[in-house]
Amino acid sequence: MSETKVDNQEPQVQENKMGVMPVKKLIVTMSLPMMLSMLVQALYNIVDSIFVSRINESALSATSLAFPAQMLMIAIGAGTGVGINAILSKSLGAKKFNDVNKAANTGLFLIFISYIVLMVLSLFAVKPFVASQIKEGTENAALIMQYSTDYLSICYILSFGIFFEMTFERLLQSTGKTFYTMITQSVGAVINMILDPILIFGLLGAPKLGIKGAAIATVVGQTVAMAMALYFNIKKNHEITLSLGKIFRPDIKTIKNIYIIAVPTIIMQAIGSVMTFAMNKIIAPFSMTAVAVFGVYFKLNSFIFMPIFGLNNGLIPIIAYNYGARNKKRITEGMKFSLVISVSLMVIGMLIFFAVPDKLLMLFNASPQMIDIGSKALRTIAIHFPIAGCCIIFMATFQAFGEGFVSLIVSLARQLCVLVPAAYILSRIAGLDAVWFAFPIAELSSVIISGLFFRNLYIKKIKNL
């Protein structure tokens, strides 16, 4: 990354497509590549767990116990990326090109520091974290503990790939170059899926590494995607100039502006990690099979939710750009169109979960007990999908307007103030099958709170544009 990028002036005198292309076409153009790449990512999540389940059910349970820590890592990277994205896109819309480069280079500095801190932390925290979720006397506890610790340690120590991949992809998204993020994410996921069986089962002369092989396949795919995303930023993203010198001379004001948006978003996404950890603690006393079901649910729901998050990632820079350009019509049109797409896709996902939960679970080598528990769980949880489709678009809007704190409040209310207490109470009074109703209960509270906050946002920031 050197300051060799040439002819950086021409894009600065042209209107970016986010300000002139018809809104529906723009959303499709920007979001579709990310939605497709997110589908590939979701497919990787499912395939990865399918291969792990072929080791044994203990390995599948182990990845479920590791999942909250993985969510925390992703929360920090993705949350910081949201802050970079919003500041960069708004600066681009307002034609403040010096601020665009400050956001990009300072954001990379913040990601580097985040990786170092988490890598060091993982050396001491992984084993106690896993142990805290396993009930004393659990069948195969030592094996599950070893599997989960091995898997998580590799993912954390070599997490520079996913941190920088997410950030470089956010830079491409911020300037509307989402096609390249589709390539990077897809290639990374495909490499992961190819390496999974080779490294897990020792195919083609490779050593048989078991669950360690799954972790290594993951970080190799992420590292390749990171390298490609860096290349595309240097060669194709002419609206941003990256420089090692500028990265390690961060702008203090830009750090503040990024974190005003990023910190609430990081906390909001980290709340998901806390929620998953708490749910594992609530579910584990029933059986480790139930924990495996919960982990499988998250893998399966990613196939429904990840495309919506791709839509979300495409919508944020569009709204932020047009807020900077003070174009109310394009903001409202973009929101309405995105809501229709989001809810429609969620309804399709709900119907799939209702219709064939047993077939979905069989993908993961499910035992009869796992199918019994999981079929009830998937049908119950899926009730909340259409409501979640609305909430995701509200969250994107809050983030685009720099209202990260609002997103934090909504997420906190939904996951920690409603979902976890509801799950705990239901587990005590009605058993495992009732626990899953906590999800639709929490999502209903979320959409009500989100609607109230959006009404206030509209009056304060949109109405008089």
Side-chain angles (χ1 to χ4, degrees):
M1 286 181 295
S2 61
E3 293 183 87
T4 58
K5 192 172 286 185
V6 297
D7 198 14
N8 195 40
Q9 298 303 312
E10 184 179 351
Q12 299 181 3
V13 298
Q14 295 179 351
E15 180 70 26
N16 188 280
K17 68 179 181 180
M18 289 188 285
V20 294
M21 184 181 288
V23 172
K24 292 180 181 179
K25 180 180 178 182
L26 177 64
I27 289 175
V28 172
T29 301
M30 287 192 60
S31 297
L32 188 58
M34 283 188 283
M35 293 172 75
L36 292 173
S37 63
M38 289 287 193
L39 272 174
V40 175
Q41 289 282 318
L43 181 62
Y44 138 68
N45 285 332
I46 292 173
V47 171
D48 190 60
S49 292
I50 288 173
F51 284 125
V52 168
S53 72
R54 265 50 183 184
I55 300 173
N56 51 50
E57 190 175 291
S58 294
L60 190 60
S61 298
T63 58
S64 298
L65 296 180
F67 190 57
Q70 289 180 289
M71 289 179 68
L72 176 62
M73 178 173 59
I74 293 171
I76 293 172
T80 305
V82 167
I84 298 167
N85 196 335
I87 296 299
L88 199 156
S89 295
K90 184 179 177 182
S91 299
L92 196 61
K95 306 297 187 291
K96 297 179 179 179
F97 300 107
N98 188 46
D99 290 344
V100 168
N101 287 325
K102 284 182 180 179
N105 288 286
T106 300
L108 287 170
F109 171 79
L110 297 178
I111 285 295
F112 175 75
I113 296 300
S114 299
Y115 161 66
I116 295 298
V117 171
L118 277 189
M119 181 190 67
V120 173
L121 181 64
S122 71
L123 298 175
F124 306 98
V126 166
K127 189 169 286 188
F129 172 80
V130 174
S132 68
Q133 299 177 81
I134 301 176
K135 183 182 177 183
E136 187 175 347
T138 297
E139 185 180 359
N140 297 324
L143 182 61
I144 293 171
M145 177 77 179
Q146 187 62 54
Y147 279 153
S148 191
T149 301
D150 289 345
Y151 182 83
L152 197 53
S153 295
I154 292 171
C155 289
Y156 256 73
I157 292 170
L158 300 177
S159 61
F160 61 86
I162 190 170
F163 272 116
F164 284 100
E165 176 197 347
M166 286 190 291
T167 307
F168 289 135
E169 287 170 352
R170 285 289 186 178
L171 297 183
L172 292 165
Q173 293 165 12
S174 298
T175 56
K177 296 173 178 61
T178 55
F179 175 76
Y180 297 112
T181 67
M182 178 184 71
I183 296 174
T184 59
Q185 291 180 2
S186 299
V187 169
V190 169
I191 288 174
N192 194 334
M193 287 188 283
I194 292 172
L195 289 179
D196 260 332
I198 294 173
L199 297 179
I200 291 173
F201 305 114
L203 305 179
L204 303 177
K208 184 178 180 180
L209 299 175
I211 201 164
K212 290 181 181 179
I216 293 170
T218 296
V219 297
V220 169
Q222 291 165 351
T223 303
V224 172
M226 173 200 73
M228 292 182 65
L230 171 59
Y231 172 82
F232 285 135
N233 270 287
I234 293 174
K235 296 297 184 180
K236 304 295 183 180
N237 205 359
H238 300 300
E239 289 162 301
I240 297 173
T241 300
L242 301 180
S243 164
L244 279 174
K246 291 180 180 179
I247 290 171
F248 290 100
R249 291 198 306 271
D251 181 74
I252 301 302
K253 182 180 178 181
T254 304
I255 291 177
K256 178 182 176 182
N257 290 337
I258 289 173
Y259 273 144
I260 285 174
I261 299 171
V263 168
T265 307
I266 291 170
I267 296 173
M268 178 183 69
Q269 296 196 33
I271 287 170
S273 173
V274 176
M275 179 275 291
T276 308
F277 175 81
M279 289 295 292
N280 281 342
K281 297 274 285 184
I282 292 169
I283 295 168
F286 292 101
S287 72
M288 291 308 294
T289 299
V291 173
V293 165
F294 188 52
V296 164
Y297 157 70
F298 272 107
K299 303 298 183 180
L300 290 171
N301 95 352
S302 68
F303 205 73
I304 311 300
F305 279 73
M306 291 289 266
I308 310 302
F309 292 136
L311 174 66
N312 177 67
N313 289 341
L315 182 63
I316 288 174
I318 293 172
I319 292 179
Y321 184 99
N322 285 285
Y323 178 46
R326 301 188 61 79
N327 194 322
K328 173 184 173 182
K329 181 180 178 181
R330 292 176 66 82
I331 292 171
T332 54
E333 186 180 354
M335 273 202 66
K336 291 175 182 177
F337 184 61
S338 298
L339 276 169
V340 171
I341 296 174
S342 180
V343 174
S344 298
L345 291 176
M346 285 296 198
V347 169
I348 293 171
M350 179 183 69
L351 294 176
I352 293 171
F353 272 49
F354 280 173
V356 289
D358 54 334
K359 303 296 189 299
L360 296 174
L361 291 162
M362 283 302 296
L363 294 172
F364 301 89
N365 202 29
S367 63
Q369 182 188 15
M370 187 173 174
I371 291 175
D372 180 57
I373 295 172
S375 294
K376 296 171 185 175
L378 295 184
R379 286 192 174 116
T380 303
I381 296 173
I383 294 170
H384 86 278
F385 283 4
I387 308 172
C390 294
C391 292
I392 291 171
I393 301 304
F394 279 132
M395 292 292 190
T397 305
F398 297 146
Q399 292 165 3
F401 277 91
E403 298 285 346
F405 186 70
V406 171
S407 296
L408 171 60
I409 293 174
V410 174
S411 186
L412 183 66
R414 174 188 174 273
Q415 298 190 74
L416 296 189
C417 298
V418 179
L419 195 153
V420 171
Y424 178 77
I425 293 169
L426 290 169
S427 73
R428 292 288 181 169
I429 64 176
L432 177 62
D433 291 343
V435 168
W436 315 117
F437 282 99
F439 284 87
I441 291 170
E443 206 65 58
L444 184 61
S445 69
S446 178
V447 77
I448 292 171
I449 296 170
S450 296
L452 293 173
F453 275 120
F454 177 73
R455 181 177 180 274
N456 182 63
L457 173 68
Y458 183 85
I459 293 170
K460 185 172 67 173
K461 291 191 174 182
I462 302 176
K463 185 177 181 179
N464 296 319
L465 283 177

